[in-house]
Amino acid sequence: MKFKVLIIISCLFVFGRGFSQNVKIDSLDIKIGQMIMLGIGKDTVIAPDNQIVKAITEQQLGGVLLYEKNIAKQHSVQKLKKLITMLRKEASLPLLVSIDEEGGKVNRLKEKYGFPETVSAKYLGDLDDVASTKYFSDIIAHNLLLLGINVNYAPVVDVHNSENPPIGKNERAFSTNPKDVIKHARQVISSHRYFNVKTVLKHFPGHGNSKEDSHYNVTDVSKYWKQKEVFPYVKLLYEGNVDAIMTAHIVNEKLDDSKLPATLSKKIMTDYLRDDIGFEGVIFSDDMQMKAIANQFGFEKSIEMAILAGVDVLMFSNHIPMKGRDMILPKDIIAIVKQLVKDGKISKERIDASYRRILKFKEGL
C-alpha cells in the first residue's frame, strides 16, 4: 500500500527569514547542505566566526546534533538555550536541532544539569500504562521545546531482547511484543507533536535482536531478525504517525543478500522501505562515523552509497576528528557529492528528491 506525501516546494519564505538575495535558491550547494547533519564538536559556547555558524549562515548545513558534551556544567539550561538560539537565528531555512533524548540511559539532559528525571523505554513498557508514558514523554518534549530543539531521535521501535548489547542491555526498547512497542511509541510521538518536536523512529529495519553493537563492529542480524520487527513502522505509518525514520547499520541477508549494511542498501532503503512499505518521508542515517560503516567503506564511498540507497539526511557525529583538523565540515561533504554529480554517479534528480522531502519535514518548525 502506497502512502502519498504532498511535496510543497513553493513559498520558501515561510521558513524563517527567507533566502538571502546573493544566494541562488536552486543552488546545488544548498540542496546538498540540507542533507547534512553534524555534531558541533565540544563547544558549549560558540563564537560568531565558528565554522559551523558560517556554514549555517551560508545555507550549507541543514541540521546540528547535540550531545552531553555541549552542555555547560554551570548554568546548564540557560547556556544550552542560548547556544541553540544563536545557531537557529543564523539559518534562513529552519535549522534542524537534534538530540538523542530517549530517557533512561540514553539521556543527554540529565538531572545534574537541572533537567527533570526521565525513565527508560523498558521501564515504561514493563509498567504498561500509557498515562505514565504520556507523563514522561510530555516532560521530555516540553523541555526540548523550551530549549529550541526540534528533532528527537526517538522513540526506539526495536523489539526488546535482554541480550542485545546496544539496545536490550540499555533498556532502550519498550517490549518484546510489537503491539506493545506500537502502543507506547504512538504516545511518545503524540507528546512530541503536541510540543512541535519531530520524532525519528529507529533503527530500521530492526536492530533489537542483533548480537553485536554496530558502533564497534559489522553487525549481522540475518539469523536472528524476524519479520515482526517491521510491524511498528508499518502500523504507525498507516496511522499517519511517522515523521521520519533512522537507518540501522546492520546486515540483513533476508532483505538484501549482498550483505550491505541497511544504511547503504538500496534494496532495503528504497525497494523495501519506500516501495514495499510505502514510506515517502525523510530517512536519516545513523551516525556515518560508526565503525560498522566507517571502517568498512570509508568516508567518500559511504556517502555515495548512502545517497544512492535512498538516505536523505547524512549524520556525522564529529566524535572522530577529520584528518588534519578537529571536525568534518559541510564543505567536505558538499565537495564530495558535487563531484559525484559531476561524474554522473549521482543524479541531480536524486538530490532534488531528498531536498523536497527535507523541506516538507521542516514545515512549521
Side-chain angles (χ1 to χ4, degrees), residues 44-59:
T44 60
V45 177
I46 297 184
D49 62 351
N50 180 279
Q51 292 272 33
I52 295 291
V53 171
K54 183 175 183 289
I56 294 170
T57 304
E58 294 177 354
Q59 299 183 79

Side-chain angles (χ1 to χ4, degrees), residues 96-132:
L96 298 180
V97 181
S98 66
I99 197 167
D100 283 290
E101 190 62 19
E102 299 171 13
K105 293 183 180 180
V106 181
N107 171 31
R108 318 300 186 201
L109 308 177
K110 294 179 170 60
E111 289 180 81
K112 66 181 180 181
Y113 301 120
F115 295 101
E117 178 188 9
T118 66
V119 298
S120 71
K122 182 63 165 50
Y123 174 90
L124 293 171
D126 288 346
L127 195 61
D128 201 20
D129 175 46
V130 174
S132 295

Side-chain angles (χ1 to χ4, degrees), residues 312-330:
D312 299 303
V313 177
L314 301 166
M315 182 196 300
F316 295 86
S317 66
N318 263 325
H319 288 330
I320 302 170
M322 184 74 173
K323 188 178 294 185
R325 60 172 187 268
D326 291 342
M327 64 171 65
I328 295 168
L329 294 172

Side-chain angles (χ1 to χ4, degrees), residues 194-348:
Y194 182 83
F195 291 104
N196 199 33
V197 178
K198 300 282 189 178
T199 53
V200 183
L201 276 59
K202 58 189 186 185
H203 308 80
F204 189 86
H207 206 320
N209 282 320
S210 68
K211 304 298 183 185
E212 293 181 295
D213 188 339
S214 54
H215 286 86
Y216 309 111
N217 300 294
V218 174
T219 303
D220 192 331
V221 301
S222 304
K223 295 179 181 178
Y224 317 109
W225 182 85
K226 297 178 174 58
Q227 185 73 39
K228 70 177 185 179
E229 295 184 53
V230 299
F231 289 178
Y233 296 96
V234 175
K235 177 62 174 173
L236 292 167
L237 181 60
Y238 177 78
E239 296 173 353
N241 282 320
V242 180
D243 297 328
I245 289 173
M246 180 183 286
T247 69
H249 299 330
I250 51 98
V251 172
N252 187 336
E253 290 186 71
K254 291 178 180 176
L255 298 177
D256 185 350
D257 58 10
S258 71
K259 296 187 177 183
L260 283 174
T263 303
L264 309 183
S265 167
K266 185 175 182 291
K267 286 185 178 180
I268 296 176
M269 291 296 108
T270 296
D271 299 348
Y272 187 52
L273 178 55
R274 292 216 187 277
D275 296 343
D276 292 347
I277 294 177
F279 180 61
E280 296 184 356
V282 174
I283 298 174
F284 286 72
S285 78
D286 206 341
D287 182 11
M288 298 289 288
Q289 291 182 283
M290 289 163 61
K291 291 184 179 180
I293 295 290
N295 286 7
Q296 298 297 313
F297 300 93
F299 186 58
E300 295 186 15
K301 191 63 179 178
S302 63
I303 290 171
E304 176 186 355
M305 294 176 72
I307 293 173
L308 289 175
V311 172
D312 299 303
V313 177
L314 301 166
M315 182 196 300
F316 295 86
S317 66
N318 263 325
H319 288 330
I320 302 170
M322 184 74 173
K323 188 178 294 185
R325 60 172 187 268
D326 291 342
M327 64 171 65
I328 295 168
L329 294 172
K331 64 183 181 182
D332 302 316
I333 301 163
I334 290 170
I336 289 168
V337 179
K338 285 181 73 174
Q339 188 63 49
L340 290 167
V341 172
K342 183 179 179 180
D343 293 343
K345 295 180 179 179
I346 294 176
S347 69
K348 288 184 178 179

